[in-house]
Amino acid sequence: MNKREFLRISALSGIGMGLFPEAMGQFNRLSQLSTFVVPSLGFSYDALQPFIDEETMRVHHSKHFQGYTDKLNQAVLDKSMEGKSIEFILQHVEESDVALRNNGGGYYNHKMFFASLSPDPKPSPEGKLLALLEANFGSMEAFKEKFSNAAASVFGSGWTWLVFNTQGQLEIISTPNQDNPLMSNVVKETGIPILGIDVWEHAYYLHYQNKRSEYLVAFWKVLDWKFVEEQFEKLSG
Ligand code: MN3
């Protein structure tokens, strides 16, 4: 139900003028529960230079991420999924639910991506995450090479992920467009993402033009392993 419908129904059902401000307040509180918002970055748009330039960060965060978020909020209303978590939405979205799929993915993917960047990043993982990365990929260097190669190989727009899979192992997965490894009705390989890199041209083209490989090298300089460790800790306890 959108605001206009609410106003119409309120009028028809004879809510008195005196009660209306209270009803509207309640409606707004309910509406806020189901509204996804773009988290603030926590640093300025120029803070990741020279690795990611100011204009790319500004447009990517304030236009692209905001755009996905606004369209997700509309899609949630259209599908009557108010109050559901983004994780629930992605796990249940169908291939044919184009608006929810693209914008739900766009919201989740960008939320994770921007939260993983920092001008003062932890340069490498430690503890259980490091141990499992080394166990699954041989070494940190081997993991980074494999991840970068996967990201370089994405044809067109998409994402490369480090996921925790159902076997309790870490795995590298790529998805097209704004698809996400949580979308079990959409993607072939599933898992819970703990790290994701955006390889859409809007993520790097202003500064790197066609040289995606240079952006992939720069990404490691601003990736905060503390964030990745926190995602992993939530899963492994
Ligand atoms: Mn993007």
Coordinates of all heavy atoms in Angstrom, one line a residue, residues 9-77:
I9 N -8.0 5.1 1.4 CA -8.6 4.1 2.3 C -9.0 4.8 3.6 O -10.1 4.6 4.1 CB -7.7 2.9 2.5 CG1 -7.6 2.1 1.2 CG2 -8.3 2.0 3.6 CD1 -6.5 1.1 1.2
S10 N -8.1 5.7 4.1 CA -8.4 6.4 5.3 C -9.7 7.2 5.2 O -10.5 7.3 6.1 CB -7.2 7.3 5.7 OG -6.1 6.6 5.8
A11 N -9.7 7.9 4.0 CA -10.9 8.8 3.8 C -12.2 7.9 3.7 O -13.2 8.3 4.3 CB -10.7 9.5 2.5
L12 N -12.1 6.8 3.0 CA -13.3 6.0 2.8 C -13.7 5.4 4.1 O -14.9 5.2 4.4 CB -13.0 4.8 1.8 CG -12.8 5.3 0.4 CD1 -12.4 4.1 -0.5 CD2 -14.1 5.8 -0.2
S13 N -12.8 5.0 4.9 CA -13.2 4.3 6.2 C -13.5 5.3 7.3 O -13.8 4.9 8.4 CB -12.0 3.4 6.6 OG -10.9 4.1 6.9
G14 N -13.5 6.6 7.0 CA -14.0 7.6 7.9 C -13.1 7.9 9.1 O -13.6 8.1 10.2
I15 N -11.8 7.8 8.9 CA -10.9 8.2 10.0 C -11.1 9.7 10.2 O -10.9 10.4 9.3 CB -9.4 7.8 9.7 CG1 -9.2 6.3 9.6 CG2 -8.5 8.4 10.8 CD1 -7.8 5.9 9.3
G16 N -11.4 10.0 11.4 CA -11.7 11.4 11.7 C -10.5 12.3 11.6 O -9.4 11.8 11.7
M17 N -10.7 13.6 11.3 CA -9.6 14.5 11.1 C -8.7 14.5 12.3 O -7.5 14.6 12.2 CB -10.0 15.9 10.8 CG -10.6 16.0 9.4 SD -9.4 15.5 8.1 CE -8.3 16.9 8.1
G18 N -9.3 14.4 13.5 CA -8.5 14.5 14.7 C -7.6 13.3 14.9 O -6.5 13.4 15.4
L19 N -8.0 12.1 14.4 CA -7.2 10.9 14.5 C -6.1 10.8 13.4 O -5.2 10.0 13.5 CB -8.1 9.7 14.4 CG -9.0 9.4 15.6 CD1 -9.9 8.2 15.3 CD2 -8.1 9.1 16.9
F20 N -6.3 11.6 12.4 CA -5.5 11.4 11.2 C -4.0 11.6 11.5 O -3.2 10.8 11.0 CB -6.0 12.3 10.0 CG -5.2 12.0 8.8 CD1 -5.4 10.8 8.1 CD2 -4.2 12.8 8.3 CE1 -4.7 10.5 7.0 CE2 -3.5 12.5 7.2 CZ -3.7 11.3 6.5
P21 N -3.6 12.7 12.2 CA -2.2 12.8 12.4 C -1.5 11.6 13.1 O -0.4 11.2 12.8 CB -2.1 14.1 13.3 CG -3.3 14.8 13.0 CD -4.4 13.8 12.7
E22 N -2.3 11.0 14.1 CA -1.8 9.9 14.8 C -1.7 8.7 13.8 O -0.7 7.9 13.9 CB -2.8 9.6 15.9 CG -2.2 8.7 17.0 CD -3.3 8.6 18.1 OE1 -3.7 9.6 18.7 OE2 -3.6 7.4 18.4
A23 N -2.7 8.5 13.0 CA -2.7 7.4 12.1 C -1.5 7.5 11.1 O -0.8 6.6 10.8 CB -4.0 7.3 11.3
M24 N -1.3 8.8 10.7 CA -0.2 9.0 9.7 C 1.1 8.7 10.4 O 2.0 8.2 9.7 CB -0.3 10.5 9.3 CG 0.4 10.7 7.9 SD -0.5 9.8 6.6 CE 0.9 9.5 5.5
G25 N 1.3 9.1 11.6 CA 2.5 8.8 12.4 C 2.8 7.4 12.5 O 3.9 6.9 12.2
Q26 N 1.7 6.6 12.7 CA 1.9 5.1 12.8 C 2.2 4.6 11.5 O 3.1 3.7 11.4 CB 0.5 4.5 13.3 CG 0.4 3.0 13.3 CD 1.4 2.4 14.3 OE1 2.1 3.1 15.1 NE2 1.5 1.1 14.2
F27 N 1.6 5.1 10.4 CA 1.9 4.6 9.1 C 3.4 4.9 8.7 O 4.1 4.0 8.2 CB 1.0 5.3 8.0 CG 1.4 5.0 6.6 CD1 1.2 3.8 6.1 CD2 1.9 6.0 5.8 CE1 1.5 3.5 4.8 CE2 2.3 5.7 4.5 CZ 2.1 4.4 4.0
N28 N 3.8 6.1 9.1 CA 5.2 6.4 8.8 C 6.2 5.5 9.6 O 7.2 5.1 9.0 CB 5.5 7.9 9.1 CG 4.9 8.8 8.0 OD1 4.7 8.3 6.9 ND2 4.6 10.0 8.4
R29 N 5.9 5.2 10.8 CA 6.7 4.3 11.6 C 6.8 2.9 11.0 O 7.8 2.3 10.8 CB 6.2 4.2 13.1 CG 6.7 5.4 13.9 CD 6.4 5.1 15.4 NE 5.0 5.1 15.7 CZ 4.2 6.2 15.8 NH1 4.8 7.4 15.7 NH2 3.0 6.1 16.1
L30 N 5.6 2.4 10.5 CA 5.6 1.1 9.9 C 6.4 1.1 8.6 O 7.1 0.2 8.3 CB 4.1 0.7 9.6 CG 3.3 0.3 10.8 CD1 1.8 0.2 10.4 CD2 3.8 -1.0 11.4
S31 N 6.2 2.2 7.9 CA 6.8 2.4 6.6 C 8.4 2.4 6.7 O 9.1 1.8 5.9 CB 6.3 3.6 5.9 OG 7.2 4.2 5.0
Q32 N 8.8 3.0 7.8 CA 10.3 3.1 8.0 C 10.9 1.7 8.3 O 12.0 1.4 7.9 CB 10.6 4.0 9.2 CG 10.6 5.5 8.8 CD 10.5 6.4 10.0 OE1 10.5 5.9 11.2 NE2 10.2 7.6 9.8
L33 N 10.1 0.8 8.9 CA 10.6 -0.6 9.1 C 11.0 -1.3 7.8 O 11.9 -2.1 7.8 CB 9.5 -1.4 9.8 CG 9.1 -1.1 11.2 CD1 8.0 -2.0 11.7 CD2 10.4 -1.3 12.1
S34 N 10.3 -1.0 6.8 CA 10.6 -1.7 5.5 C 11.4 -0.9 4.5 O 11.5 -1.3 3.4 CB 9.3 -2.1 4.9 OG 8.5 -1.0 4.6
T35 N 11.9 0.2 5.0 CA 12.7 1.0 4.0 C 14.2 0.8 4.1 O 14.7 0.9 5.2 CB 12.4 2.5 4.3 OG1 11.0 2.7 4.1 CG2 13.1 3.4 3.3
F36 N 14.8 0.4 3.0 CA 16.2 0.2 3.0 C 16.9 1.6 2.8 O 16.4 2.4 2.0 CB 16.6 -0.8 1.9 CG 16.1 -2.2 2.2 CD1 15.0 -2.7 1.6 CD2 16.8 -3.0 3.2 CE1 14.5 -4.0 1.9 CE2 16.3 -4.3 3.5 CZ 15.2 -4.7 2.8
V37 N 18.0 1.8 3.4 CA 18.7 3.1 3.3 C 20.2 2.8 2.9 O 20.7 1.8 3.2 CB 18.7 4.0 4.5 CG1 17.2 4.4 4.8 CG2 19.2 3.2 5.7
V38 N 20.8 3.8 2.2 CA 22.2 3.7 1.9 C 23.0 4.1 3.1 O 22.8 5.3 3.6 CB 22.5 4.7 0.7 CG1 24.0 4.8 0.5 CG2 21.8 4.2 -0.6
P39 N 23.8 3.3 3.7 CA 24.6 3.7 4.8 C 25.6 4.7 4.4 O 26.1 4.6 3.3 CB 25.3 2.4 5.3 CG 24.6 1.3 4.5 CD 24.0 1.8 3.3
S40 N 26.0 5.6 5.3 CA 27.0 6.6 5.0 C 28.3 5.8 4.9 O 28.5 4.8 5.6 CB 27.0 7.7 6.0 OG 27.5 7.2 7.2
L41 N 29.3 6.4 4.2 CA 30.5 5.7 3.9 C 31.4 5.7 5.2 O 32.2 4.7 5.3 CB 31.3 6.5 2.9 CG 31.3 6.0 1.4 CD1 32.2 6.9 0.6 CD2 31.6 4.6 1.3
G42 N 31.4 6.7 6.0 CA 32.3 6.8 7.1 C 33.6 7.4 6.8 O 34.5 7.6 7.6
F43 N 33.8 7.8 5.5 CA 35.0 8.6 5.1 C 34.6 9.4 3.9 O 33.5 9.1 3.3 CB 36.2 7.7 4.9 CG 35.9 6.5 3.9 CD1 35.9 6.6 2.6 CD2 35.6 5.2 4.5 CE1 35.7 5.5 1.7 CE2 35.3 4.1 3.6 CZ 35.4 4.3 2.3
S44 N 35.4 10.3 3.5 CA 35.1 11.2 2.4 C 35.3 10.5 1.0 O 36.1 9.5 0.9 CB 35.8 12.5 2.5 OG 37.2 12.2 2.4
Y45 N 34.6 11.0 0.0 CA 34.7 10.4 -1.3 C 36.2 10.4 -1.9 O 36.5 9.6 -2.7 CB 33.8 11.1 -2.3 CG 32.3 10.8 -2.1 CD1 31.4 11.8 -2.0 CD2 31.9 9.5 -1.9 CE1 30.0 11.5 -1.7 CE2 30.5 9.2 -1.7 CZ 29.6 10.2 -1.6 OH 28.3 9.9 -1.4
D46 N 37.0 11.3 -1.4 CA 38.4 11.3 -1.9 C 39.4 10.5 -1.1 O 40.5 10.5 -1.4 CB 38.8 12.8 -2.1 CG 39.0 13.5 -0.7 OD1 38.6 12.9 0.3 OD2 39.4 14.7 -0.7
A47 N 38.9 9.9 0.0 CA 39.8 9.2 0.9 C 40.5 8.0 0.4 O 41.5 7.6 1.0 CB 39.0 8.9 2.2
L48 N 40.0 7.4 -0.7 CA 40.6 6.2 -1.2 C 41.6 6.5 -2.4 O 42.1 5.5 -3.0 CB 39.5 5.2 -1.7 CG 38.5 4.7 -0.6 CD1 37.6 3.7 -1.2 CD2 39.2 4.2 0.6
Q49 N 41.8 7.8 -2.7 CA 42.7 8.1 -3.7 C 44.1 7.7 -3.3 O 44.4 7.8 -2.1 CB 42.6 9.6 -4.1 CG 41.2 10.0 -4.5 CD 41.1 11.3 -5.3 OE1 40.9 11.3 -6.5 NE2 41.4 12.4 -4.6
P50 N 45.0 7.3 -4.2 CA 44.8 7.3 -5.6 C 44.2 6.0 -6.1 O 44.1 5.8 -7.3 CB 46.3 7.4 -6.1 CG 47.1 6.6 -5.1 CD 46.4 6.9 -3.8
F51 N 43.8 5.1 -5.2 CA 43.4 3.8 -5.7 C 42.0 3.8 -6.3 O 41.8 3.1 -7.3 CB 43.5 2.8 -4.5 CG 44.8 2.8 -3.9 CD1 45.1 3.3 -2.6 CD2 45.9 2.3 -4.6 CE1 46.3 3.3 -2.1 CE2 47.2 2.3 -4.0 CZ 47.4 2.8 -2.8
I52 N 41.1 4.5 -5.6 CA 39.7 4.7 -6.2 C 39.5 6.2 -6.2 O 39.6 6.8 -5.1 CB 38.6 3.9 -5.5 CG1 38.9 2.4 -5.5 CG2 37.3 4.2 -6.2 CD1 37.9 1.5 -4.8
D53 N 39.2 6.8 -7.3 CA 39.1 8.3 -7.4 C 37.8 8.8 -6.8 O 36.8 8.1 -6.7 CB 39.3 8.7 -8.9 CG 38.1 8.2 -9.7 OD1 38.1 7.0 -10.1 OD2 37.2 9.0 -10.0
E54 N 37.9 10.1 -6.5 CA 36.8 10.8 -5.8 C 35.5 10.7 -6.6 O 34.4 10.4 -6.1 CB 37.2 12.2 -5.5 CG 36.1 13.0 -4.9 CD 36.5 14.5 -4.6 OE1 37.7 14.9 -4.9 OE2 35.7 15.2 -4.0
E55 N 35.6 11.0 -7.9 CA 34.4 11.1 -8.7 C 33.7 9.7 -8.9 O 32.5 9.6 -8.8 CB 34.7 11.7 -10.1 CG 33.5 12.1 -10.9 CD 32.6 13.2 -10.3 OE1 33.0 13.8 -9.2 OE2 31.5 13.4 -10.8
T56 N 34.5 8.7 -9.0 CA 33.9 7.3 -9.1 C 33.2 7.0 -7.8 O 32.1 6.5 -7.8 CB 35.1 6.3 -9.4 OG1 35.6 6.6 -10.7 CG2 34.5 4.9 -9.3
M57 N 33.9 7.3 -6.7 CA 33.2 7.0 -5.4 C 31.9 7.8 -5.2 O 30.9 7.3 -4.7 CB 34.2 7.4 -4.2 CG 35.3 6.4 -4.0 SD 34.8 4.7 -3.6 CE 34.2 4.9 -1.9
R58 N 31.9 9.1 -5.6 CA 30.8 9.9 -5.4 C 29.6 9.4 -6.3 O 28.5 9.2 -5.8 CB 31.1 11.4 -5.8 CG 29.8 12.3 -5.7 CD 30.1 13.7 -6.0 NE 30.8 14.3 -4.9 CZ 32.1 14.8 -5.0 NH1 32.7 14.7 -6.2 NH2 32.7 15.3 -4.0
V59 N 29.9 9.2 -7.5 CA 28.8 8.7 -8.4 C 28.3 7.3 -8.1 O 27.1 7.0 -8.0 CB 29.3 8.8 -9.9 CG1 28.2 8.2 -10.8 CG2 29.6 10.2 -10.3
H60 N 29.3 6.4 -7.8 CA 29.0 5.0 -7.5 C 28.1 4.9 -6.2 O 27.1 4.2 -6.2 CB 30.3 4.3 -7.3 CG 30.1 2.8 -7.4 ND1 31.2 1.9 -7.2 CD2 29.1 2.0 -7.7 CE1 30.8 0.7 -7.4 NE2 29.5 0.7 -7.7
H61 N 28.5 5.7 -5.2 CA 27.8 5.6 -3.9 C 26.5 6.4 -3.9 O 25.4 5.9 -3.5 CB 28.7 6.1 -2.7 CG 28.2 5.9 -1.4 ND1 27.5 7.0 -0.7 CD2 28.2 4.9 -0.5 CE1 27.2 6.5 0.5 NE2 27.5 5.3 0.6
S62 N 26.6 7.7 -4.3 CA 25.4 8.6 -4.2 C 24.4 8.4 -5.3 O 23.2 8.8 -5.2 CB 25.9 10.0 -4.1 OG 26.3 10.5 -5.3
K63 N 24.8 7.9 -6.5 CA 23.9 7.7 -7.6 C 23.5 6.2 -7.8 O 22.4 5.8 -7.8 CB 24.4 8.3 -8.9 CG 24.8 9.8 -8.7 CD 23.6 10.7 -8.5 CE 24.1 12.1 -8.5 NZ 23.0 13.0 -8.0
H64 N 24.5 5.4 -8.1 CA 24.2 4.0 -8.4 C 23.6 3.3 -7.2 O 22.5 2.7 -7.3 CB 25.5 3.3 -8.9 CG 26.0 3.7 -10.2 ND1 25.4 3.2 -11.4 CD2 26.9 4.6 -10.6 CE1 26.0 3.8 -12.4 NE2 26.9 4.7 -12.0
F65 N 24.3 3.3 -6.1 CA 23.9 2.6 -4.9 C 22.5 3.2 -4.4 O 21.6 2.4 -4.1 CB 24.9 2.7 -3.8 CG 24.7 1.9 -2.5 CD1 23.7 1.0 -2.4 CD2 25.5 2.1 -1.4 CE1 23.5 0.3 -1.2 CE2 25.3 1.4 -0.2 CZ 24.3 0.5 -0.1
Q66 N 22.4 4.5 -4.4 CA 21.1 5.1 -4.1 C 20.0 4.7 -5.0 O 18.9 4.4 -4.6 CB 21.3 6.6 -4.1 CG 20.0 7.4 -3.5 CD 19.8 7.1 -2.0 OE1 20.7 7.4 -1.2 NE2 18.7 6.6 -1.7
G67 N 20.3 4.6 -6.3 CA 19.3 4.2 -7.3 C 18.8 2.8 -7.1 O 17.6 2.6 -7.1
Y68 N 19.7 1.9 -6.8 CA 19.3 0.5 -6.5 C 18.4 0.5 -5.3 O 17.4 -0.3 -5.2 CB 20.5 -0.4 -6.3 CG 21.3 -0.7 -7.5 CD1 22.7 -0.4 -7.6 CD2 20.8 -1.3 -8.7 CE1 23.4 -0.6 -8.7 CE2 21.5 -1.5 -9.8 CZ 22.9 -1.2 -9.8 OH 23.6 -1.4 -11.0
T69 N 18.8 1.2 -4.3 CA 18.1 1.2 -3.0 C 16.7 1.8 -3.2 O 15.7 1.2 -2.7 CB 18.9 2.1 -2.0 OG1 20.2 1.6 -1.9 CG2 18.2 2.0 -0.6
D70 N 16.5 2.9 -3.9 CA 15.2 3.5 -4.1 C 14.3 2.5 -4.9 O 13.1 2.3 -4.6 CB 15.3 4.8 -4.9 CG 16.0 5.9 -4.1 OD1 16.1 5.8 -2.9 OD2 16.5 6.9 -4.8
K71 N 14.9 1.9 -5.9 CA 14.1 0.9 -6.7 C 13.8 -0.4 -5.9 O 12.7 -1.0 -6.1 CB 14.8 0.6 -8.0 CG 14.8 1.8 -9.0 CD 15.6 1.4 -10.2 CE 15.8 2.6 -11.1 NZ 16.9 2.4 -12.1
L72 N 14.7 -0.8 -5.0 CA 14.4 -1.9 -4.1 C 13.2 -1.6 -3.3 O 12.3 -2.4 -3.1 CB 15.6 -2.3 -3.3 CG 15.3 -3.2 -2.1 CD1 14.8 -4.6 -2.7 CD2 16.5 -3.4 -1.2
N73 N 13.2 -0.4 -2.7 CA 12.1 0.0 -1.8 C 10.7 -0.1 -2.5 O 9.7 -0.5 -2.0 CB 12.3 1.4 -1.2 CG 13.3 1.3 -0.1 OD1 13.4 0.3 0.7 ND2 14.2 2.3 0.0
Q74 N 10.7 0.4 -3.8 CA 9.5 0.3 -4.6 C 9.1 -1.1 -4.9 O 8.0 -1.5 -4.8 CB 9.7 1.1 -5.9 CG 8.4 1.2 -6.7 CD 7.3 1.9 -5.9 OE1 7.4 3.0 -5.4 NE2 6.1 1.2 -5.8
A75 N 10.1 -2.0 -5.2 CA 9.9 -3.4 -5.6 C 9.3 -4.1 -4.3 O 8.5 -5.0 -4.5 CB 11.1 -4.0 -6.1
V76 N 9.8 -3.8 -3.2 CA 9.4 -4.4 -1.9 C 7.9 -4.1 -1.7 O 7.1 -5.0 -1.3 CB 10.2 -3.9 -0.7 CG1 9.6 -4.2 0.6 CG2 11.6 -4.6 -0.8
L77 N 7.5 -2.8 -1.9 CA 6.1 -2.5 -1.8 C 5.3 -3.2 -2.9 O 4.2 -3.8 -2.5 CB 5.9 -0.9 -2.0 CG 6.4 0.0 -0.9 CD1 6.3 1.4 -1.3 CD2 5.7 -0.3 0.4

